[in-house]
Amino acid sequence: MAWDEWEQLKADALARRQGQMRLDSAAAAGGGGGGEPDLKTNKTGQKSAVAALDDIQRGTDKAGSHADESSAVAVREFAGWDTGAGLKDAHAEWELQVKNLKGRLARDQEALKGSHGHFQYVDYGVRSQVAQIDTGPDPRRKA
């Protein structure tokens, strides 16, 4: 990316950001203050992503098992050599990395499953805070 192009992208981003804040007006017809649609979750996309993470976890298990078998054979073949010890250490690191990856995939999967609920709790929290605002007596009502 050329420097001029980078500067143009920064200027465009700044221009988009400057016209979006509206403190004293209602939201645009499409929702949200900037005329953009409201933030929503995509249940179908969420389920697809969770299923994809399942596939990745199964593939990780398969790759990890394959490496276990191959490494065990190689370690036995090079027993008594520095190469055998090095392979054993490398395989221990591989097992740790596979375990960490599987844990990360599981956490990501759980986060995706709970994202819809998290958005709802944020909405409820904002609604609760707005409901607590005391606007004073309504001038249209008789005291």
Coordinates of all heavy atoms in Angstrom, one line a residue, residues 17-81:
R17 N -16.4 9.4 10.5 CA -16.6 9.5 11.9 C -17.2 10.8 12.3 O -17.9 10.9 13.3 CB -15.3 9.2 12.6 CG -15.5 8.9 14.1 CD -14.2 8.5 14.7 NE -13.1 9.3 14.3 CZ -11.9 9.1 14.7 NH1 -11.6 8.0 15.4 NH2 -10.9 9.9 14.3
Q18 N -16.8 11.9 11.7 CA -17.2 13.2 12.2 C -18.7 13.5 12.1 O -19.2 14.3 12.9 CB -16.4 14.3 11.4 CG -14.9 14.3 11.8 CD -14.1 15.3 11.1 OE1 -14.5 15.8 10.0 NE2 -13.0 15.7 11.6
G19 N -19.4 13.0 11.1 CA -20.8 13.4 10.9 C -21.7 12.4 11.6 O -22.9 12.5 11.4
Q20 N -21.2 11.6 12.5 CA -22.1 10.5 13.1 C -22.7 10.8 14.5 O -23.6 10.2 14.8 CB -21.3 9.2 13.1 CG -20.9 8.8 11.8 CD -21.5 7.5 11.4 OE1 -22.0 6.8 12.2 NE2 -21.4 7.2 10.1
M21 N -22.1 11.7 15.2 CA -22.6 11.9 16.6 C -23.8 12.8 16.6 O -23.7 13.9 16.1 CB -21.5 12.4 17.5 CG -21.9 12.5 18.9 SD -20.6 12.9 20.1 CE -19.7 11.4 20.0
R22 N -24.8 12.3 17.3 CA -26.1 13.1 17.4 C -26.5 13.0 18.8 O -27.2 12.1 19.2 CB -27.1 12.6 16.5 CG -26.8 12.7 15.0 CD -27.9 12.2 14.2 NE -27.4 12.0 12.8 CZ -28.1 11.4 11.9 NH1 -29.2 10.8 12.2 NH2 -27.6 11.3 10.7
L23 N -26.2 14.0 19.6 CA -26.6 14.0 21.0 C -28.0 14.4 21.3 O -28.6 14.0 22.2 CB -25.6 14.8 21.9 CG -24.2 14.3 21.9 CD1 -23.3 15.2 22.7 CD2 -24.1 12.9 22.4
D24 N -28.5 15.3 20.4 CA -29.8 15.9 20.7 C -30.9 15.6 19.6 O -31.8 16.3 19.4 CB -29.7 17.4 20.8 CG -29.2 18.0 19.5 OD1 -28.8 17.3 18.6 OD2 -29.2 19.3 19.4
S25 N -30.8 14.4 19.0 CA -31.8 14.0 18.0 C -32.1 12.6 18.1 O -31.4 11.8 18.7 CB -31.2 14.3 16.6 OG -30.1 13.5 16.3
A26 N -33.2 12.2 17.5 CA -33.7 10.8 17.6 C -32.9 10.0 16.5 O -32.3 10.6 15.6 CB -35.2 10.8 17.2
A27 N -32.9 8.7 16.7 CA -32.2 7.9 15.7 C -32.8 8.0 14.4 O -34.0 8.3 14.2 CB -32.3 6.4 16.2
A28 N -32.0 7.7 13.4 CA -32.5 7.7 12.0 C -33.5 6.6 11.8 O -33.6 5.7 12.6 CB -31.3 7.5 11.0
A29 N -34.2 6.6 10.7 CA -35.3 5.6 10.4 C -34.8 4.2 10.5 O -35.5 3.3 10.9 CB -36.0 5.9 9.1
G30 N -33.6 4.0 10.0 CA -33.0 2.6 10.0 C -32.6 2.1 11.3 O -32.2 1.0 11.5
G31 N -32.6 3.0 12.4 CA -32.2 2.6 13.7 C -30.7 3.0 13.9 O -30.0 3.3 12.9
G32 N -30.3 3.2 15.1 CA -28.9 3.6 15.4 C -28.7 5.1 15.0 O -29.4 5.7 14.2
G33 N -27.8 5.7 15.6 CA -27.6 7.2 15.4 C -27.0 7.5 14.1 O -27.2 8.6 13.6
G34 N -26.3 6.6 13.4 CA -25.6 7.0 12.2 C -26.4 6.5 10.9 O -25.8 6.5 9.9
G35 N -27.6 6.1 11.1 CA -28.4 5.7 9.9 C -28.1 4.2 9.6 O -28.6 3.7 8.7
E36 N -27.2 3.6 10.3 CA -26.9 2.2 10.1 C -27.9 1.3 10.8 O -28.5 1.7 11.8 CB -25.5 1.9 10.7 CG -24.4 2.7 10.1 CD -24.0 2.2 8.7 OE1 -24.1 1.1 8.4 OE2 -23.6 3.1 7.9
P37 N -28.1 0.1 10.3 CA -29.1 -0.8 11.0 C -28.5 -1.1 12.4 O -27.3 -1.1 12.7 CB -29.2 -2.0 10.1 CG -28.1 -1.9 9.1 CD -27.6 -0.5 9.1
D38 N -29.4 -1.5 13.3 CA -29.1 -1.9 14.7 C -28.2 -3.2 14.6 O -28.2 -4.0 13.7 CB -30.3 -2.2 15.5 CG -31.1 -1.0 15.8 OD1 -30.5 0.1 15.8 OD2 -32.3 -1.1 16.1
L39 N -27.4 -3.3 15.7 CA -26.5 -4.5 15.8 C -27.3 -5.7 16.1 O -28.2 -5.7 16.9 CB -25.5 -4.2 16.9 CG -24.5 -5.3 17.2 CD1 -23.6 -5.5 16.0 CD2 -23.7 -5.0 18.4
K40 N -27.1 -6.7 15.3 CA -27.9 -7.9 15.4 C -27.0 -9.2 15.3 O -25.9 -9.1 14.8 CB -29.0 -8.0 14.3 CG -30.0 -6.9 14.3 CD -31.0 -7.1 13.2 CE -31.9 -5.9 13.3 NZ -32.9 -5.9 12.2
T41 N -27.5 -10.3 15.8 CA -26.8 -11.5 15.7 C -27.4 -12.3 14.6 O -28.6 -12.2 14.3 CB -26.8 -12.4 17.0 OG1 -28.2 -12.6 17.3 CG2 -26.1 -11.6 18.1
N42 N -26.6 -13.2 14.0 CA -27.0 -14.0 12.9 C -27.1 -15.4 13.3 O -26.0 -16.1 13.4 CB -26.1 -13.8 11.7 CG -26.4 -14.6 10.5 OD1 -27.1 -15.6 10.6 ND2 -26.0 -14.2 9.3
K43 N -28.2 -15.9 13.7 CA -28.4 -17.3 14.2 C -27.8 -18.3 13.3 O -27.1 -19.3 13.7 CB -29.8 -17.6 14.6 CG -30.3 -17.0 15.8 CD -29.7 -17.7 17.0 CE -30.7 -17.7 18.2 NZ -30.1 -18.2 19.3
T44 N -28.1 -18.2 12.0 CA -27.7 -19.2 11.0 C -26.2 -19.2 10.9 O -25.5 -20.2 10.9 CB -28.3 -18.9 9.6 OG1 -29.7 -18.9 9.8 CG2 -28.0 -20.0 8.7
G45 N -25.6 -18.0 10.8 CA -24.1 -17.9 10.7 C -23.5 -18.4 12.0 O -22.4 -19.0 12.0
Q46 N -24.1 -18.1 13.1 CA -23.6 -18.5 14.4 C -23.5 -20.1 14.5 O -22.5 -20.6 14.9 CB -24.4 -18.0 15.5 CG -24.0 -18.4 16.9 CD -25.0 -17.9 18.0 OE1 -26.0 -17.2 17.6 NE2 -24.8 -18.2 19.2
K47 N -24.6 -20.7 14.1 CA -24.7 -22.2 14.1 C -23.6 -22.7 13.1 O -23.0 -23.8 13.4 CB -26.1 -22.7 13.7 CG -27.1 -22.4 14.8 CD -28.4 -22.9 14.5 CE -29.4 -22.6 15.6 NZ -30.8 -23.1 15.2
S48 N -23.5 -22.1 11.9 CA -22.5 -22.6 11.0 C -21.1 -22.4 11.5 O -20.2 -23.3 11.3 CB -22.6 -21.7 9.7 OG -23.8 -21.9 9.1
A49 N -20.8 -21.4 12.2 CA -19.5 -21.2 12.8 C -19.2 -22.2 13.9 O -18.1 -22.7 14.0 CB -19.3 -19.7 13.4
V50 N -20.2 -22.5 14.7 CA -20.0 -23.5 15.8 C -19.8 -24.9 15.2 O -18.9 -25.6 15.6 CB -21.3 -23.5 16.7 CG1 -21.3 -24.7 17.6 CG2 -21.4 -22.2 17.5
A51 N -20.5 -25.2 14.1 CA -20.3 -26.4 13.4 C -18.9 -26.5 12.8 O -18.2 -27.6 12.8 CB -21.4 -26.6 12.3
A52 N -18.5 -25.4 12.2 CA -17.1 -25.3 11.6 C -16.0 -25.6 12.7 O -15.1 -26.3 12.5 CB -16.9 -24.0 10.9
L53 N -16.3 -25.0 13.9 CA -15.3 -25.2 15.0 C -15.3 -26.7 15.4 O -14.3 -27.2 15.8 CB -15.6 -24.3 16.1 CG -15.2 -22.8 15.9 CD1 -15.7 -22.0 17.1 CD2 -13.8 -22.7 15.7
D54 N -16.5 -27.3 15.3 CA -16.5 -28.8 15.6 C -15.7 -29.5 14.6 O -14.9 -30.4 15.0 CB -18.0 -29.3 15.5 CG -18.8 -29.1 16.8 OD1 -18.1 -29.1 17.9 OD2 -20.0 -29.1 16.7
D55 N -15.8 -29.2 13.4 CA -15.0 -29.8 12.3 C -13.5 -29.6 12.6 O -12.7 -30.5 12.4 CB -15.4 -29.3 10.9 CG -16.7 -29.8 10.5 OD1 -17.3 -30.7 11.1 OD2 -17.3 -29.2 9.6
I56 N -13.1 -28.4 12.9 CA -11.7 -28.1 13.2 C -11.2 -28.9 14.4 O -10.1 -29.4 14.4 CB -11.5 -26.6 13.4 CG1 -11.8 -25.8 12.1 CG2 -10.1 -26.3 13.9 CD1 -11.9 -24.3 12.2
Q57 N -12.1 -29.0 15.4 CA -11.6 -29.8 16.6 C -11.4 -31.3 16.2 O -10.4 -31.9 16.7 CB -12.7 -29.7 17.7 CG -12.6 -28.4 18.5 CD -13.6 -28.3 19.6 OE1 -14.7 -28.7 19.4 NE2 -13.1 -27.8 20.7
R58 N -12.3 -31.8 15.4 CA -12.2 -33.2 15.0 C -10.9 -33.4 14.2 O -10.1 -34.3 14.3 CB -13.4 -33.7 14.2 CG -14.5 -34.0 15.1 CD -15.6 -34.8 14.4 NE -16.3 -34.0 13.3 CZ -17.3 -33.2 13.5 NH1 -17.7 -33.0 14.7 NH2 -17.8 -32.5 12.5
G59 N -10.6 -32.4 13.3 CA -9.4 -32.4 12.5 C -8.2 -32.3 13.3 O -7.1 -33.0 13.1
T60 N -8.3 -31.5 14.4 CA -7.1 -31.3 15.3 C -6.9 -32.6 16.0 O -5.7 -33.0 16.2 CB -7.4 -30.2 16.3 OG1 -7.7 -29.0 15.5 CG2 -6.2 -30.0 17.2
D61 N -7.9 -33.3 16.5 CA -7.7 -34.6 17.1 C -7.1 -35.6 16.2 O -6.2 -36.3 16.6 CB -9.1 -35.1 17.6 CG -9.7 -34.4 18.8 OD1 -8.9 -33.8 19.6 OD2 -10.9 -34.5 19.0
K62 N -7.6 -35.6 15.0 CA -7.0 -36.6 14.0 C -5.6 -36.3 13.7 O -4.7 -37.2 13.7 CB -7.8 -36.5 12.7 CG -7.5 -37.5 11.7 CD -8.4 -37.4 10.4 CE -8.0 -38.4 9.4 NZ -8.9 -38.3 8.2
A63 N -5.2 -35.0 13.5 CA -3.8 -34.6 13.2 C -3.0 -34.9 14.4 O -1.8 -35.4 14.3 CB -3.7 -33.1 12.8
G64 N -3.5 -34.6 15.6 CA -2.7 -34.9 16.8 C -2.4 -36.4 17.0 O -1.3 -36.8 17.4
S65 N -3.5 -37.2 16.7 CA -3.3 -38.7 16.9 C -2.3 -39.2 15.8 O -1.4 -40.1 16.1 CB -4.6 -39.4 16.7 OG -5.5 -39.0 17.7
H66 N -2.4 -38.7 14.6 CA -1.4 -39.1 13.6 C 0.0 -38.8 14.0 O 0.9 -39.6 13.8 CB -1.8 -38.4 12.2 CG -0.9 -38.8 11.1 ND1 -0.9 -40.1 10.6 CD2 0.1 -38.1 10.5 CE1 0.1 -40.1 9.6 NE2 0.6 -38.9 9.6
A67 N 0.2 -37.6 14.5 CA 1.5 -37.1 14.9 C 2.0 -38.0 16.1 O 3.2 -38.3 16.2 CB 1.5 -35.7 15.3
D68 N 1.1 -38.4 17.0 CA 1.5 -39.2 18.1 C 2.0 -40.6 17.6 O 3.1 -41.0 18.1 CB 0.2 -39.5 19.0 CG -0.2 -38.3 19.8 OD1 0.6 -37.4 20.0 OD2 -1.3 -38.4 20.3
E69 N 1.3 -41.2 16.7 CA 1.8 -42.5 16.2 C 3.1 -42.4 15.4 O 4.1 -43.1 15.7 CB 0.7 -43.1 15.2 CG -0.6 -43.4 15.9 CD -1.7 -43.5 14.9 OE1 -1.5 -43.6 13.7 OE2 -2.9 -43.7 15.4
S70 N 3.2 -41.4 14.5 CA 4.4 -41.2 13.8 C 5.6 -40.9 14.7 O 6.7 -41.4 14.5 CB 4.3 -40.1 12.7 OG 3.2 -40.4 11.9
S71 N 5.4 -40.0 15.6 CA 6.5 -39.6 16.5 C 7.0 -40.7 17.4 O 8.2 -40.9 17.6 CB 6.1 -38.4 17.4 OG 5.8 -37.3 16.6
A72 N 6.0 -41.5 17.9 CA 6.4 -42.7 18.7 C 7.3 -43.6 18.0 O 8.3 -44.1 18.5 CB 5.1 -43.4 19.2
V73 N 7.0 -43.9 16.7 CA 7.8 -44.8 15.9 C 9.2 -44.2 15.7 O 10.2 -44.9 15.8 CB 7.1 -45.0 14.5 CG1 8.0 -45.8 13.5 CG2 5.8 -45.9 14.7
A74 N 9.2 -42.9 15.4 CA 10.5 -42.2 15.1 C 11.4 -42.2 16.4 O 12.6 -42.4 16.3 CB 10.3 -40.8 14.6
V75 N 10.8 -42.0 17.5 CA 11.5 -41.9 18.8 C 12.1 -43.3 19.1 O 13.2 -43.4 19.5 CB 10.6 -41.4 20.0 CG1 11.2 -41.7 21.3 CG2 10.3 -40.0 19.8
R76 N 11.3 -44.4 18.8 CA 11.8 -45.7 19.0 C 13.0 -46.0 18.1 O 14.0 -46.7 18.5 CB 10.7 -46.8 18.8 CG 9.8 -46.9 20.0 CD 8.9 -48.1 19.9 NE 8.1 -48.2 18.7 CZ 6.9 -47.7 18.6 NH1 6.3 -47.0 19.6 NH2 6.2 -47.8 17.4
E77 N 12.9 -45.6 16.8 CA 13.9 -45.9 15.9 C 15.2 -45.2 16.2 O 16.3 -45.7 15.9 CB 13.4 -45.4 14.5 CG 12.3 -46.3 13.9 CD 12.8 -47.7 13.6 OE1 13.9 -47.9 13.1 OE2 11.9 -48.6 13.8
F78 N 15.1 -44.0 16.8 CA 16.3 -43.2 17.1 C 16.7 -43.3 18.6 O 17.4 -42.4 19.1 CB 16.1 -41.8 16.7 CG 16.2 -41.6 15.2 CD1 15.0 -41.3 14.5 CD2 17.3 -41.7 14.5 CE1 15.0 -41.2 13.1 CE2 17.4 -41.5 13.1 CZ 16.2 -41.2 12.4
A79 N 16.2 -44.3 19.3 CA 16.4 -44.4 20.7 C 18.0 -44.5 21.0 O 18.7 -45.1 20.2 CB 15.8 -45.7 21.3
G80 N 18.4 -43.8 22.0 CA 19.8 -43.8 22.3 C 20.6 -42.7 21.5 O 21.7 -42.5 21.8
W81 N 20.0 -42.0 20.6 CA 20.6 -41.0 19.8 C 20.1 -39.6 20.3 O 19.0 -39.5 20.8 CB 20.3 -41.1 18.3 CG 20.9 -42.3 17.7 CD1 20.9 -43.6 18.2 CD2 21.5 -42.4 16.4 NE1 21.5 -44.4 17.3 CE2 21.9 -43.7 16.1 CE3 21.7 -41.4 15.4 CZ2 22.5 -44.1 15.0 CZ3 22.3 -41.8 14.2 CH2 22.7 -43.2 14.0

